[in-house]
Amino acid sequence: MKIAFTGASGTGKTSVAHHLLSPQFQTLMEVPLAGVDSRNLLDMLGLRRSESIEDDQYKVFQTMYFAQKVLIESEHEAFLTERSFVDGLVYWKMHCENNASPSENAIMHSLCYEQTMKYDYHFLFPTGFIPVEDDGYRHRDPEYHKKFELLLQSILREWEVKYTVIPRSDVSSRANFIMECLG
């Protein structure tokens, strides 16, 4: 089973993923967390605050992120990922698409579509419930996150990806909700 969390930054995806992988749930989940440490990657590139990254730098970051994500996810038959390839495409569209060639955009769109279709379950974490923490990496503008979510939902609909919206509740309730959905 390949489970993907999707949603804007700061919506609780990582917190719920770590909660699901805690001893309380691990025997039920029995899947590893397969994800790219984007903060570490940003640090390696000497980048920090997302709203101040130049588009050409963001394109390098996203390309490296995609390559690592494909590699990591291909190593597992089953996994939980706290950021789907749809999220990656949204970031690409918001930061790189205007600065990329038509062939680069086509490749990223195709790659993200192909990888997204490999997920068995998508869970959408909505914006506006959890205040976005300023961790030095995340975008701080709430309108940015709303725009991200609208574009994300648009892609999910366009690709006819079935997804379940996570309720606006605490971490434990969200984890229990996901376990109920997975049956």
Side-chain angles (χ1 to χ4, degrees):
M1 178 172 15
K2 296 177 180 176
I3 306 162
F5 289 175
T6 190
S9 181
T11 55
K13 297 180 302 296
T14 301
S15 296
V16 173
H18 287 285
H19 194 74
L20 284 168
L21 297 174
S22 70
Q24 173 187 359
F25 289 100
Q26 185 57 46
T27 56
L28 300 171
M29 288 295 291
E30 297 180 352
V31 296
L33 181 62
V36 176
D37 185 346
S38 57
R39 287 171 181 82
N40 185 46
L41 184 55
L42 286 165
D43 288 343
M44 279 181 19
L45 295 170
L47 305 172
R48 191 78 169 154
R49 172 86 47 210
S50 65
E51 64 245 32
S52 64
I53 299 173
E54 299 292 327
D55 287 347
D56 58 334
Q57 295 172 315
Y58 212 98
K59 192 165 80 169
V60 169
F61 164 73
Q62 281 299 114
T63 303
M64 291 175 69
Y65 178 88
F66 284 138
Q68 285 186 16
K69 187 162 181 60
V70 168
L71 181 63
I72 289 168
E73 290 186 9
S74 71
E75 294 173 350
H76 303 283
E77 289 295 319
F79 58 82
L80 167 65
T81 185
E82 60 194 318
R83 184 159 297 284
S84 76
F85 272 92
V86 180
D87 299 58
L89 184 61
V90 172
Y91 282 118
W92 180 269
K93 286 180 161 296
M94 291 178 72
H95 297 280
C96 307
E97 190 170 65
N98 293 335
N99 199 29
S101 70
S103 62
E104 288 173 317
N105 288 327
I107 289 168
M108 287 305 174
H109 190 275
S110 177
L111 168 73
C112 290
Y113 177 81
E114 176 185 307
Q115 295 300 314
T116 294
M117 295 304 135
K118 292 180 181 180
Y119 299 136
D120 298 306
Y121 294 94
H122 282 82
F123 291 97
L124 173 65
F125 286 67
T127 60
F129 173 67
I130 300 171
V132 177
E133 290 182 24
D134 186 359
D135 65 355
Y137 294 93
R138 292 184 177 117
H139 208 288
R140 296 174 288 188
D141 180 8
E143 292 304 313
Y144 173 89
H145 298 288
K146 288 177 188 173
K147 180 180 175 184
F148 183 99
E149 186 173 307
L150 289 173
L151 184 52
L152 177 75
Q153 289 177 326
S154 171
I155 294 168
L156 289 167
R157 279 191 304 275
E158 176 188 335
W159 290 352
E160 298 179 352
V161 174
K162 292 182 182 176
Y163 62 92
T164 301
V165 178
I166 296 296
R168 290 169 159 47
S169 58
D170 63 84
V171 170
S172 184
S173 297
R174 287 172 153 198
N176 286 323
F177 175 81
I178 289 167
M179 292 307 298
E180 287 173 20
C181 290
L182 296 175

